[in-house]
Amino acid sequence: MPSGVLHRAPAIRELLASGGESFSFEFMPPKTAEAERRLWRAIRELEPLRPTFVSVTYGAGGSTRDRTVRMTGRIAAETTLTPVGHFTAVDHSVAELRHVIGSYAAVGVRNVLALRGDPAGDPNAEWVANPEGLEYAADLVRLVKASGDFCVGVGAFPEGHPRSPDFESDTEYFVRKCRAGADFAITQMFFYVEDYLRLRDRVAAAGCEVPIIPGIMPITSQRTLERIVVLSGARFPAALGDEVRAAGDDSAAVREIGVRYAAGMCERLLAEGSPGLHFYTLNGSLSTREIYQRLGLAGRAAGGSPHPARARLAAGT
């Protein structure tokens, strides 16, 4: 990572408050050198779209902690992008969580996504707090806020959190995270726009005005459908599944089907007043770039113009 004085990245709350819509991308920390090269190629291909921010995920149980911090810090240092680092409470003591917070601060990252997280190995296993850790995401939000000048995002669930018995309790827990200091939220992937709209309305009815950015996962392959979507538990349109399967091994046709459906969702979400869109990229760029082009999103992102100091840093001046 280049040495020198770290720039002060803008807070997501400031970018969202500046007006316009937020368009953002999510990446996963790579496991191999070749995967890292592919990821950086995708980042460089998406950088000209000037997203509001990009985020890097944190594996179940904190399994990718060091790689997540390293990748997020490298994005902060070597690109004009505003990075958001994920981290989770599961399997971590408060001391370990403080260390992660400090690691992000040390590499110039001031935006984080604070999640309770799923148990490693089996996301549906019983959630047991570390004896020296935290029980809820709201506790994690408070810890981060007490640790310095951080902007904190949280998760939101259009279909309700899998561990919530009903929508009422799900809304209550979400509002608690916001009352604890959350500045924005990003939803889990979903495929029915109505689910997002109902979530937004429930939260607004509870008197909470924290912006909720919808998370979009374009279907790009049979593998995406069969593994990632099914494992997520998200409701999925049967007709869309039939169309994808009918395309068989024609990868271009499958991607076109997925992009067309996702673009339609995005168009309606923006028309309904969503604060923006968050794309789950799976470390690729093609589908996201195609959606951007179809909807003419380039240049609309809130805070999307490169920060002058960061643009100079990326240019080496």
Side-chain angles (χ1 to χ4, degrees):
M1 186 178 298
S3 60
V5 178
L6 290 169
H7 62 272
R8 181 177 173 80
I12 303 304
R13 62 173 172 267
E14 296 164 0
L15 298 178
L16 292 173
S18 68
E21 297 145 327
S22 171
F23 302 119
S24 52
F25 311 136
E26 184 165 298
F27 304 111
M28 300 174 291
K31 296 181 179 180
T32 66
E34 175 57 30
E36 185 163 346
R37 285 191 290 271
R38 288 196 303 270
L39 171 57
W40 275 98
R41 184 165 58 246
I43 289 173
R44 292 305 185 186
E45 289 170 346
L46 290 169
E47 188 174 8
L49 300 181
R50 297 184 176 184
T52 307
F53 64 91
V54 298
S55 68
V56 182
T57 63
Y58 197 86
S63 58
T64 67
R65 179 176 66 190
D66 294 340
R67 283 184 284 133
T68 295
V69 173
R70 181 174 63 83
M71 287 300 303
T72 308
R74 187 178 171 192
I75 290 171
E78 298 182 18
T79 77
T80 60
L81 301 168
T82 296
V84 172
H86 292 214
F87 73 124
T88 61
V90 66
D91 292 339
H92 285 42
S93 67
V94 169
E96 289 171 327
L97 292 170
R98 291 188 189 279
H99 175 75
V100 176
I101 296 168
S103 297
Y104 277 132
V107 295
V109 174
R110 62 185 295 226
N111 299 288
V112 298
L113 192 69
L115 307 167
R116 187 178 188 229
D118 295 321
D122 180 4
N124 297 315
E126 181 182 1
W127 202 97
V128 179
N130 183 300
E132 299 178 353
L134 302 175
E135 182 75 22
Y136 297 107
D139 301 325
L140 186 55
V141 172
R142 277 187 284 269
L143 178 66
V144 178
K145 285 290 189 175
S147 300
D149 182 21
F150 287 93
C151 174
V152 182
V154 294
F157 301 86
E159 299 175 45
H161 191 284
R163 298 178 190 272
S164 292
D166 51 49
F167 286 123
E168 182 178 357
S169 63
D170 186 73
T171 303
E172 179 183 348
Y173 279 111
F174 177 80
V175 172
R176 285 185 191 178
K177 293 187 288 189
C178 298
R179 300 284 186 256
D183 298 290
F184 67 99
I186 300 173
T187 76
Q188 185 184 48
M189 73 178 79
F190 62 96
F191 296 93
Y192 291 92
V193 172
E194 290 77 11
D195 289 335
Y196 169 84
L197 298 177
R198 282 191 284 265
L199 165 67
R200 184 187 64 181
D201 292 346
R202 288 194 300 271
V203 171
C208 181
E209 298 181 354
V210 168
I212 303 174
I213 303 170
I216 304 298
M217 169 76 83
I219 301 302
T220 57
S221 66
Q222 295 278 359
R223 178 182 179 277
T224 304
L225 173 60
E226 294 170 1
R227 295 191 59 182
I228 298 173
V229 175
V230 172
L231 288 175
S232 77
R235 294 197 306 135
F236 193 79
L240 179 59
D242 292 341
E243 193 174 1
V244 169
R245 294 184 186 93
D249 296 329
D250 188 339
S251 58
V254 171
R255 190 180 69 252
E256 167 59 25
I257 293 165
V259 166
R260 184 177 69 242
Y261 187 86
M265 286 183 62
C266 293
E267 188 170 30
R268 185 178 171 200
L269 285 163
L270 293 174
E272 292 281 358
S274 78
L277 304 164
H278 183 73
F279 293 96
Y280 295 106
T281 70
L282 300 179
N283 290 7
S285 69
L286 183 56
S287 294
T288 301
R289 286 187 286 124
E290 289 179 347
I291 293 172
Y292 251 65
Q293 183 176 12
R294 291 185 188 208
L295 300 183
L297 301 182
R300 288 173 54 176
S305 297
H307 187 282
R310 297 166 67 199
R312 290 195 298 272
L313 178 67
T317 61

